[in-house]
Amino acid sequence: MFFRRRPTLPAELSDEELLLRYRQYGDVQDLGVLYERHLTAVFAICRRYLRPDEDAQDAVMQLFEQLVDKLQKHEVGNFTAWLHTTVRNHCLMVLRARQRTSPDGGPLILHFPDATDMESAASRHLPSDDPDEAASTEARLRHLEHALTELPDGQRQCLEMFYLQQKCYRDIADATGYELSLVKSYLQNGKRNLKRMLESYPTDAAS
């Protein structure tokens, strides 16, 4: 007597097994389960770059649609690391598109300062097709995200609103309730502290 083997449910598979099965059979349900496991992290990354939250939510959905095609074409080793890089690059491209369509056509400003010039750093760190440059960018992004978490709340909040959301001093003061002089102080001290922390990080992308 032969028994029909029950198909393994997606929830019972590891990330690697789900990814392999999706590449083999193209069942979007497998990809959906895999993506849902990482949804909290994906949304958190999107919120760092895109405001309001509705824009971050749109990015989360757009990313899933991209993965349907990308993961059929590209072999991925470490899915978590690859996904986080893909999410960041997508958000950077969204911001780049905003800059191209902005009325003033000004330079793209992200909360991605380097040790030399906070205002112009973003234009040098957009996604690259060069694997070495992409790896270096990923390392700098990790350093930046860690450095931001180390800043006092007021400095971090003002930096993100000024550089990411491109709010003026008065708008930041109105949104946070801080005095205008305190906003300026938080920005000045935050830039100095962030620069100091980033200078202390290794420059090797593998670090």
Side-chain angles (χ1 to χ4, degrees):
M1 184 175 182
F2 295 95
F3 294 92
R4 188 175 182 179
R5 186 176 180 181
R6 179 179 65 87
T8 304
L9 297 175
E12 298 173 353
L13 299 175
S14 67
D15 284 4
E16 292 75 17
E17 290 169 331
L18 275 173
L19 184 57
L20 178 61
R21 195 164 81 170
Y22 175 68
R23 286 179 56 83
Q24 289 178 332
Y25 302 108
D27 188 341
V28 178
Q29 181 183 2
D30 287 337
L31 180 59
V33 172
L34 178 61
Y35 192 59
E36 188 173 3
R37 290 177 182 175
H38 298 267
L39 203 56
T40 299
V42 169
F43 183 59
I45 294 172
C46 288
R47 288 189 78 244
R48 280 195 174 274
Y49 293 90
L50 305 175
R51 299 296 173 90
D53 281 356
E54 288 77 6
D55 288 353
Q57 292 167 359
D58 288 344
V60 169
M61 292 186 289
Q62 292 164 3
L63 280 158
F64 180 75
E65 294 172 358
Q66 292 180 19
L67 296 187
V68 170
D69 182 58
K70 284 185 176 181
L71 289 176
Q72 282 290 315
K73 295 179 178 179
H74 303 289
E75 187 172 348
V76 175
N78 185 330
F79 176 74
T80 300
W82 178 88
L83 178 62
H84 288 188
T85 299
T86 299
V87 173
R88 291 187 183 103
N89 285 348
H90 175 78
C91 292
L92 289 172
M93 294 306 293
V94 169
L95 290 171
R96 191 181 200 178
R98 286 182 182 175
Q99 183 268 337
R100 287 199 300 265
T101 59
S102 64
D104 58 7
L108 176 61
I109 303 297
L110 307 179
H111 60 292
F112 192 174
D114 63 10
T116 307
D117 182 359
M118 186 166 190
E119 282 75 10
S120 63
S123 63
R124 299 194 296 274
H125 297 115
L126 290 171
S128 171
D129 293 331
D130 186 311
D132 292 336
E133 177 62 22
S136 179
T137 296
E138 171 67 12
R140 290 192 296 267
L141 282 167
R142 289 198 306 269
H143 293 161
L144 173 67
E145 290 186 352
H146 177 73
L148 283 170
T149 65
E150 296 295 310
L151 289 176
D153 288 342
Q155 293 179 15
R156 176 184 51 76
Q157 186 179 18
C158 288
L159 282 175
E160 291 187 342
M161 293 180 74
F162 187 77
Y163 287 101
L164 177 58
Q165 301 178 38
Q166 300 186 31
K167 291 185 178 295
C168 66
Y169 294 162
R170 174 58 62 189
D171 287 343
I172 296 174
D174 291 343
T176 61
Y178 298 143
E179 294 290 338
L180 193 60
S181 59
L182 185 57
V183 170
K184 294 178 180 179
S185 175
Y186 277 154
L187 285 170
Q188 181 179 9
N189 293 331
K191 284 193 292 183
R192 182 174 62 249
N193 290 334
L194 201 55
K195 175 181 175 180
R196 175 178 51 79
M197 285 188 283
L198 290 175
E199 285 177 332
S200 70
Y201 289 134
T203 56
D204 186 350
S207 61

